[in-house]
Amino acid sequence: MVLQRNEINEKDTWDLSTIYPTDQAWEEALKDLTEQLETVAQYEGHLLDSADSLLEITEFSLEMERQMEKLYVYAHMKNDQDTREAKYQEYYAKAMTLYSQLDQAFSFYEPEFMEISEKQYADFLEAQPKLQVYQHYFDKLLQGKDHVLSQREEELLAGAGEIFGSASETFAILDNADIVFPFVKDEDGNEVQLSHGVYMRLMESKNREVRRGAYQALYATYEQFQHTYAKTLQTNVKVQNYRAKVRHYKSARHAALAANFVPESVYDNLVAAVRKHLPLLHRYLELRSKILGISDLKMYDVYTPLSSVEYSFTYQEALKKAEDALAVLGEDYLSRVKRAFSERWIDVYENQASVQGPTLVVLTILMPLCFLTGRII
């Protein structure tokens, strides 16, 4: 069975004390930031009074945002450890509420900033050299001018932030806390409880019956909740469409890409390139079918290694090989990798009701190794 979190050796879990040493410290920081929010109102209507005023309010806003992100990350990661734990569900909810309140408090910022003229902007940058540090930040804001609403409208949207996020939160709770997957057989005939992590390992099995059993068990479980999943997806789509509409974007896709200044033509070109080269994928699948000796290739057959050579490493062996492989990226990069390994940035093992996001940390670091040397156990 997948272990409970308290059954996992502490050295194999991430250490969140580097963010806040204790839960009490997090609660105190939450209280402090909540009290600071009460001082924001004094800045409303004064953003463009002078270059110094713009600098002061901008730096105050960004500092509060940094504090908020720290609070949010701690609460989010604590909640991800075991999504059934009420204490950290509460932490996460409080962080989301405060995030919404912070957005509301500073809802005046962008509408007021959009009133700046080109001449005033240039004069401010000249009068207060420290503003030049934030020039890229200001330029990004100005590029989105057509999609910034009035202060009242921005405040209303910010206040609805928690509501807009409810569909994804519902999905996360259902997928990580409430769903219980059945037991299936592994390559050695042992009964193992299916989970998100165990599933991918079984998909690499050389035994097709093992792969088929895991695949059917996973999706039979999901099928029981297909209408719930469909509704959460539908709600999320409606949220994205609504946000795009009220901010005067052509579509939700336009809004999503505009956040990173990516033209829609880039997206269309990528899709067109994939479609153009689909025959290569079809050739690969035909080759896979031939090598595996399978005439009716199924989805559960696409992850099976084609090589007859088995590569497997323990976690500790993988860390060492990762360091060797990533050394070509330079000492600065490698030093950060070593810190991640030695300072417990990584949740090594899956536990019951954990979100699979934590594993992305190690996967991002080790992905080059996976492609070069095989699979990690």
Side-chain angles (χ1 to χ4, degrees):
M1 291 183 64
V2 179
L3 297 176
Q4 299 287 349
R5 188 168 187 82
N6 60 12
E7 296 174 321
I8 297 175
N9 194 310
E10 184 181 65
K11 70 180 180 63
D12 294 322
T13 63
W14 57 21
D15 178 16
L16 300 184
S17 66
T18 55
I19 306 176
Y20 289 102
T22 62
D23 288 350
Q24 180 63 34
W26 182 89
E27 292 173 5
E28 291 172 0
L30 182 79
K31 180 182 177 182
D32 289 343
L33 188 57
T34 302
E35 291 174 353
Q36 288 183 62
L37 274 183
E38 297 176 4
T39 68
V40 175
Q42 65 181 309
Y43 295 114
E44 188 175 330
H46 299 289
L47 184 68
L48 301 182
D49 284 358
S50 66
D52 288 339
S53 178
L54 177 59
L55 177 65
E56 179 185 354
I57 297 173
T58 298
E59 291 188 333
F60 180 61
S61 168
L62 293 175
E63 173 56 29
M64 292 194 72
E65 217 170 282
R66 283 189 284 269
Q67 292 181 45
M68 184 66 249
E69 287 175 357
K70 187 178 175 182
L71 282 163
Y72 173 81
V73 167
Y74 184 87
H76 199 312
M77 295 175 78
K78 280 288 190 180
N79 185 55
D80 283 353
Q81 292 176 171
D82 188 338
T83 53
R84 302 167 302 183
E85 196 163 341
K87 178 180 180 180
Y88 296 122
Q89 286 181 12
E90 182 183 0
Y91 274 26
Y92 183 61
K94 286 181 176 179
M96 290 296 293
T97 297
L98 189 57
Y99 230 133
S100 179
Q101 291 172 346
L102 182 67
D103 285 344
Q104 285 180 272
F106 281 100
S107 60
F108 69 87
Y109 187 97
E110 290 191 20
E112 285 189 27
F113 183 74
M114 294 309 162
E115 296 299 320
I116 198 168
S117 66
E118 288 186 19
K119 184 179 184 307
Q120 187 181 25
Y121 183 39
D123 289 345
F124 275 11
L125 291 176
E126 184 178 352
Q128 177 49 269
K130 291 182 180 179
L131 281 175
Q132 295 174 17
V133 175
Y134 304 104
Q135 189 169 354
H136 179 65
Y137 172 70
F138 295 144
D139 289 344
K140 285 181 65 177
L141 290 179
L142 290 171
Q143 287 185 53
K145 185 174 183 177
D146 293 341
H147 307 290
V148 175
L149 308 177
S150 69
Q151 180 180 336
R152 179 57 180 160
E153 290 168 328
E154 289 289 352
E155 187 177 346
L156 289 171
L157 277 179
E162 286 185 273
I163 300 171
F164 289 155
S166 60
S168 59
E169 290 180 30
T170 300
F171 167 80
I173 290 293
L174 178 61
D175 200 47
N176 297 294
D178 289 342
I179 280 192
V180 179
F181 293 107
F183 283 79
V184 295
K185 289 189 176 181
D186 64 12
E187 285 184 315
D188 299 321
N190 299 317
E191 293 277 337
V192 295
Q193 186 175 18
L194 198 60
S195 68
H196 296 296
V198 170
Y199 174 76
M200 288 309 301
R201 178 168 59 83
L202 296 179
M203 286 297 99
E204 295 179 344
S205 172
K206 295 287 188 180
N207 187 327
R208 198 183 193 205
E209 288 307 309
V210 170
R211 301 196 302 271
R212 191 205 316 270
Y215 181 88
Q216 291 177 344
L218 183 85
Y219 285 100
T221 304
Y222 277 131
E223 189 175 19
Q224 299 175 60
F225 304 96
Q226 60 180 306
H227 302 297
T228 303
Y229 281 116
K231 193 62 181 177
T232 57
L233 175 60
Q234 181 189 57
T235 302
N236 193 47
V237 169
K238 287 181 176 180
V239 166
Q240 303 308 321
N241 286 337
Y242 177 76
R243 280 176 162 167
K245 181 180 179 181
V246 297
R247 290 199 175 277
H248 312 300
Y249 288 102
K250 293 184 294 183
S251 65
R253 187 183 78 166
H254 181 209
L257 294 173
N260 291 303
F261 305 101
V262 177
E264 287 190 279
S265 59
V266 173
Y267 181 96
D268 292 331
N269 288 339
L270 285 171
V271 173
V274 170
R275 287 176 174 165
K276 179 181 178 181
H277 294 91
L278 274 177
L280 291 176
L281 175 61
H282 298 159
R283 282 176 57 193
Y284 165 74
L285 292 176
E286 288 174 4
L287 178 62
R288 169 172 281 276
S289 179
K290 181 179 179 181
I291 293 174
L292 292 176
I294 298 172
S295 59
D296 59 333
L297 196 74
K298 301 293 185 182
M299 190 64 196
Y300 48 79
D301 298 316
V302 300
Y303 299 105
T304 311
L306 298 178
S307 172
S308 59
V309 179
E310 284 287 339
Y311 286 103
S312 62
F313 307 97
T314 65
Y315 178 71
Q316 292 302 323
E317 290 170 341
L319 296 185
K320 180 61 174 67
K321 289 185 178 293
E323 289 183 14
D324 295 341
L326 298 176
V328 296
L329 297 177
E331 186 54 40
D332 181 62
Y333 184 92
L334 189 60
S335 66
R336 297 170 192 271
V337 171
K338 289 179 178 178
R339 284 189 62 198
F341 293 164
S342 63
E343 296 179 14
R344 288 175 52 205
W345 291 10
I346 301 165
D347 248 10
V348 179
Y349 301 110
E350 179 184 22
N351 60 264
Q352 288 191 33
S354 65
V355 176
Q356 291 307 294
T359 61
L360 292 178
V361 179
V362 69
L363 287 178
T364 301
I365 295 170
L366 300 183
M367 191 59 73
L369 178 69
C370 296
F371 286 119
L372 289 172
T373 60
R375 62 190 178 94
I376 299 172
I377 60 171

PDB file of all heavy atoms in Angstrom, residues 195-206:
ATOM      1  N   SER A 195      -1.836   3.925  -7.459  1.00  0.00           N
ATOM      2  CA  SER A 195      -1.776   5.351  -7.138  1.00  0.00           C
ATOM      3  C   SER A 195      -1.228   6.050  -8.369  1.00  0.00           C
ATOM      4  O   SER A 195      -0.824   5.410  -9.336  1.00  0.00           O
ATOM      5  CB  SER A 195      -0.878   5.601  -5.930  1.00  0.00           C
ATOM      6  OG  SER A 195       0.471   5.316  -6.271  1.00  0.00           O
ATOM      7  N   HIS A 196      -1.179   7.384  -8.328  1.00  0.00           N
ATOM      8  CA  HIS A 196      -0.650   8.118  -9.473  1.00  0.00           C
ATOM      9  C   HIS A 196       0.795   7.718  -9.754  1.00  0.00           C
ATOM     10  O   HIS A 196       1.195   7.547 -10.900  1.00  0.00           O
ATOM     11  CB  HIS A 196      -0.734   9.627  -9.221  1.00  0.00           C
ATOM     12  CG  HIS A 196      -2.137  10.128  -9.085  1.00  0.00           C
ATOM     13  ND1 HIS A 196      -3.045  10.069 -10.115  1.00  0.00           N
ATOM     14  CD2 HIS A 196      -2.787  10.696  -8.038  1.00  0.00           C
ATOM     15  CE1 HIS A 196      -4.197  10.578  -9.709  1.00  0.00           C
ATOM     16  NE2 HIS A 196      -4.071  10.964  -8.458  1.00  0.00           N
ATOM     17  N   GLY A 197       1.584   7.578  -8.697  1.00  0.00           N
ATOM     18  CA  GLY A 197       2.984   7.220  -8.867  1.00  0.00           C
ATOM     19  C   GLY A 197       3.174   5.775  -9.290  1.00  0.00           C
ATOM     20  O   GLY A 197       3.966   5.481 -10.188  1.00  0.00           O
ATOM     21  N   VAL A 198       2.461   4.853  -8.656  1.00  0.00           N
ATOM     22  CA  VAL A 198       2.576   3.429  -8.976  1.00  0.00           C
ATOM     23  C   VAL A 198       2.106   3.169 -10.417  1.00  0.00           C
ATOM     24  O   VAL A 198       2.674   2.337 -11.124  1.00  0.00           O
ATOM     25  CB  VAL A 198       1.753   2.592  -7.981  1.00  0.00           C
ATOM     26  CG1 VAL A 198       1.652   1.130  -8.433  1.00  0.00           C
ATOM     27  CG2 VAL A 198       2.365   2.680  -6.595  1.00  0.00           C
ATOM     28  N   TYR A 199       1.098   3.900 -10.850  1.00  0.00           N
ATOM     29  CA  TYR A 199       0.541   3.696 -12.193  1.00  0.00           C
ATOM     30  C   TYR A 199       1.614   3.847 -13.271  1.00  0.00           C
ATOM     31  O   TYR A 199       1.739   3.001 -14.161  1.00  0.00           O
ATOM     32  CB  TYR A 199      -0.586   4.692 -12.438  1.00  0.00           C
ATOM     33  CG  TYR A 199      -1.133   4.669 -13.853  1.00  0.00           C
ATOM     34  CD1 TYR A 199      -1.978   3.637 -14.273  1.00  0.00           C
ATOM     35  CD2 TYR A 199      -0.807   5.664 -14.764  1.00  0.00           C
ATOM     36  CE1 TYR A 199      -2.472   3.603 -15.564  1.00  0.00           C
ATOM     37  CE2 TYR A 199      -1.296   5.643 -16.058  1.00  0.00           C
ATOM     38  CZ  TYR A 199      -2.130   4.618 -16.460  1.00  0.00           C
ATOM     39  OH  TYR A 199      -2.613   4.592 -17.740  1.00  0.00           O
ATOM     40  N   MET A 200       2.409   4.919 -13.212  1.00  0.00           N
ATOM     41  CA  MET A 200       3.406   5.142 -14.256  1.00  0.00           C
ATOM     42  C   MET A 200       4.479   4.062 -14.239  1.00  0.00           C
ATOM     43  O   MET A 200       4.994   3.668 -15.289  1.00  0.00           O
ATOM     44  CB  MET A 200       4.044   6.525 -14.089  1.00  0.00           C
ATOM     45  CG  MET A 200       3.123   7.673 -14.462  1.00  0.00           C
ATOM     46  SD  MET A 200       2.352   7.459 -16.106  1.00  0.00           S
ATOM     47  CE  MET A 200       3.794   7.340 -17.164  1.00  0.00           C
ATOM     48  N   ARG A 201       4.809   3.548 -13.062  1.00  0.00           N
ATOM     49  CA  ARG A 201       5.783   2.456 -12.992  1.00  0.00           C
ATOM     50  C   ARG A 201       5.232   1.201 -13.656  1.00  0.00           C
ATOM     51  O   ARG A 201       5.948   0.516 -14.403  1.00  0.00           O
ATOM     52  CB  ARG A 201       6.141   2.180 -11.522  1.00  0.00           C
ATOM     53  CG  ARG A 201       7.112   1.025 -11.342  1.00  0.00           C
ATOM     54  CD  ARG A 201       7.664   0.989  -9.928  1.00  0.00           C
ATOM     55  NE  ARG A 201       6.624   0.843  -8.921  1.00  0.00           N
ATOM     56  CZ  ARG A 201       6.102  -0.320  -8.566  1.00  0.00           C
ATOM     57  NH1 ARG A 201       6.486  -1.438  -9.158  1.00  0.00           N
ATOM     58  NH2 ARG A 201       5.182  -0.377  -7.621  1.00  0.00           N
ATOM     59  N   LEU A 202       3.966   0.921 -13.418  1.00  0.00           N
ATOM     60  CA  LEU A 202       3.357  -0.267 -14.021  1.00  0.00           C
ATOM     61  C   LEU A 202       3.193  -0.118 -15.523  1.00  0.00           C
ATOM     62  O   LEU A 202       3.192  -1.109 -16.262  1.00  0.00           O
ATOM     63  CB  LEU A 202       1.996  -0.552 -13.371  1.00  0.00           C
ATOM     64  CG  LEU A 202       2.039  -0.902 -11.872  1.00  0.00           C
ATOM     65  CD1 LEU A 202       0.641  -1.150 -11.333  1.00  0.00           C
ATOM     66  CD2 LEU A 202       2.929  -2.114 -11.625  1.00  0.00           C
ATOM     67  N   MET A 203       3.045   1.110 -16.016  1.00  0.00           N
ATOM     68  CA  MET A 203       2.933   1.334 -17.458  1.00  0.00           C
ATOM     69  C   MET A 203       4.229   1.007 -18.201  1.00  0.00           C
ATOM     70  O   MET A 203       4.232   0.835 -19.415  1.00  0.00           O
ATOM     71  CB  MET A 203       2.546   2.787 -17.747  1.00  0.00           C
ATOM     72  CG  MET A 203       1.097   3.134 -17.458  1.00  0.00           C
ATOM     73  SD  MET A 203      -0.101   2.209 -18.480  1.00  0.00           S
ATOM     74  CE  MET A 203      -0.588   0.917 -17.337  1.00  0.00           C
ATOM     75  N   GLU A 204       5.331   0.906 -17.462  1.00  0.00           N
ATOM     76  CA  GLU A 204       6.613   0.561 -18.077  1.00  0.00           C
ATOM     77  C   GLU A 204       6.909  -0.932 -17.977  1.00  0.00           C
ATOM     78  O   GLU A 204       7.969  -1.388 -18.406  1.00  0.00           O
ATOM     79  CB  GLU A 204       7.731   1.352 -17.398  1.00  0.00           C
ATOM     80  CG  GLU A 204       7.629   2.857 -17.619  1.00  0.00           C
ATOM     81  CD  GLU A 204       8.741   3.611 -16.918  1.00  0.00           C
ATOM     82  OE1 GLU A 204       9.392   3.011 -16.022  1.00  0.00           O
ATOM     83  OE2 GLU A 204       8.968   4.778 -17.259  1.00  0.00           O
ATOM     84  N   SER A 205       5.986  -1.696 -17.437  1.00  0.00           N
ATOM     85  CA  SER A 205       6.187  -3.130 -17.273  1.00  0.00           C
ATOM     86  C   SER A 205       6.295  -3.828 -18.623  1.00  0.00           C
ATOM     87  O   SER A 205       5.636  -3.459 -19.596  1.00  0.00           O
ATOM     88  CB  SER A 205       5.022  -3.730 -16.474  1.00  0.00           C
ATOM     89  OG  SER A 205       5.101  -5.145 -16.472  1.00  0.00           O
ATOM     90  N   LYS A 206       7.143  -4.851 -18.676  1.00  0.00           N
ATOM     91  CA  LYS A 206       7.262  -5.674 -19.891  1.00  0.00           C
ATOM     92  C   LYS A 206       6.063  -6.615 -20.046  1.00  0.00           C
ATOM     93  O   LYS A 206       5.810  -7.140 -21.135  1.00  0.00           O
ATOM     94  CB  LYS A 206       8.543  -6.512 -19.826  1.00  0.00           C
ATOM     95  CG  LYS A 206       9.834  -5.708 -19.834  1.00  0.00           C
ATOM     96  CD  LYS A 206      10.116  -5.129 -21.196  1.00  0.00           C
ATOM     97  CE  LYS A 206      11.505  -4.496 -21.231  1.00  0.00           C
ATOM     98  NZ  LYS A 206      11.809  -3.906 -22.559  1.00  0.00           N
TER      99      LYS A 206
END
